[in-house]
Amino acid sequence: MSLQFDNSSYSTSLDPMHGEALKRLIQIFCSSGGCGSICSSYKNPFFLGFNTPISLSDFAMRLQTFFHSSPQSFVTAAIYIQRFYTVRPDLFNPQSSHKLMLAALTLAAKFTDDVCCKHEHFARCGGIDCAELKSLEMFLFSSIDYRGFVSPTEFYQMHELLKQILQQNSDHQTKTPQLIHEVQTAQVL
């Protein structure tokens, strides 16, 4: 089942920067706490344990390019990431960002898009095997109490928040502490 939203106002305001917005949201959460760089893989299934060969910006662009998912799935992934942050802020750090983005976007694509790629395709795009991606998806989904549904209100609130994040980046404003507070306290339905 796909979420149905009026795309007329959406498509021009965030697309094609949805990957960048998702990356920035994760960076905000990582910079506002979490377990830092000392978090071990024992505590964090998203932890890489090594320096990535690709930056988070390039990874976000890779997923945006090759996932073949709708722009709505990126907003939905951001909502899943926000929900996850409210229950597991300790798992947010730079070493967990890539896998967290991959798992959230995979779940969102499967939930929002009528036609989506095979699981193997998502795993290949993320550079991990299918079993690991499935495990990460289940961990994320169970952590947010299997709440895949996103209301139109919640969707549009997150869409506006992502636009603010992108605007802040383009304006080089110094409102990051205020924006972090807004992101963390945005109502999660």
Side-chain angles (χ1 to χ4, degrees), residues 47-133:
F47 187 74
L48 286 174
F50 57 88
N51 289 330
T52 63
I54 183 171
S55 71
L56 189 58
S57 291
D58 290 343
F59 189 70
M61 184 59 68
R62 176 182 173 81
L63 297 184
Q64 180 178 323
T65 302
F66 297 112
F67 250 48
H68 307 294
S69 57
S70 67
Q72 291 84 354
S73 64
F74 280 82
V75 177
T76 301
I79 292 167
Y80 294 167
I81 289 167
Q82 182 186 35
R83 288 175 181 173
F84 187 64
Y85 183 81
T86 62
V87 295
R88 293 302 308 262
D90 58 310
L91 299 185
F92 282 77
N93 67 70
Q95 289 290 321
S96 65
S97 300
H98 291 71
K99 288 183 179 179
L100 181 57
M101 181 186 292
L102 176 65
L105 189 55
T106 300
L107 279 174
K110 288 177 177 180
F111 200 86
T112 61
D113 296 342
D114 286 331
V115 177
C116 68
C117 297
K118 292 185 177 188
H119 191 77
E120 294 80 12
H121 175 78
F122 293 132
R124 193 175 324 116
C125 288
I128 62 176
D129 63 43
C130 291
E132 182 178 11
L133 179 56

Side-chain angles (χ1 to χ4, degrees), residues 26-41:
I26 290 174
Q27 288 177 327
I28 288 171
F29 284 135
C30 287
S31 69
S32 64
C35 62
S37 61
I38 59 170
C39 184
S40 72
S41 61

